[in-house]
Amino acid sequence: ANRDFGGMIKLNASGRIIWDMLSVGTEIEDVVKKITEEYEIDSETAEKDVLNFINTLRGANILE
């Protein structure tokens, strides 16, 4: 059913950064670094948020 999804997913600014970086094969560590720099948060929080985002995409079969 998820493969037939024809809707739209709207990303916030941080989601867009993560999506754009992952779509070109950026390593997770580099995505976390970018998020920490962009939003001035600690790396532990950024890593948790990035991994949650990735897991959400994987759960919806949007990201492999």
Side-chain angles (χ1 to χ4, degrees), residues 14-54:
S14 59
R16 182 64 186 198
I17 291 169
I18 298 167
W19 177 266
D20 287 346
M21 293 183 79
L22 291 176
S23 70
V24 295
T26 306
E27 296 291 326
I28 293 173
E29 295 81 17
D30 294 327
V31 176
V32 170
K33 183 178 178 185
K34 174 69 174 176
I35 294 297
T36 60
E37 293 168 355
E38 191 74 23
Y39 294 99
E40 298 178 1
I41 61 173
D42 63 274
S43 59
E44 184 178 311
T45 301
E47 182 176 14
K48 179 182 156 197
D49 291 348
V50 168
L51 293 176
N52 283 337
F53 182 81
I54 290 170

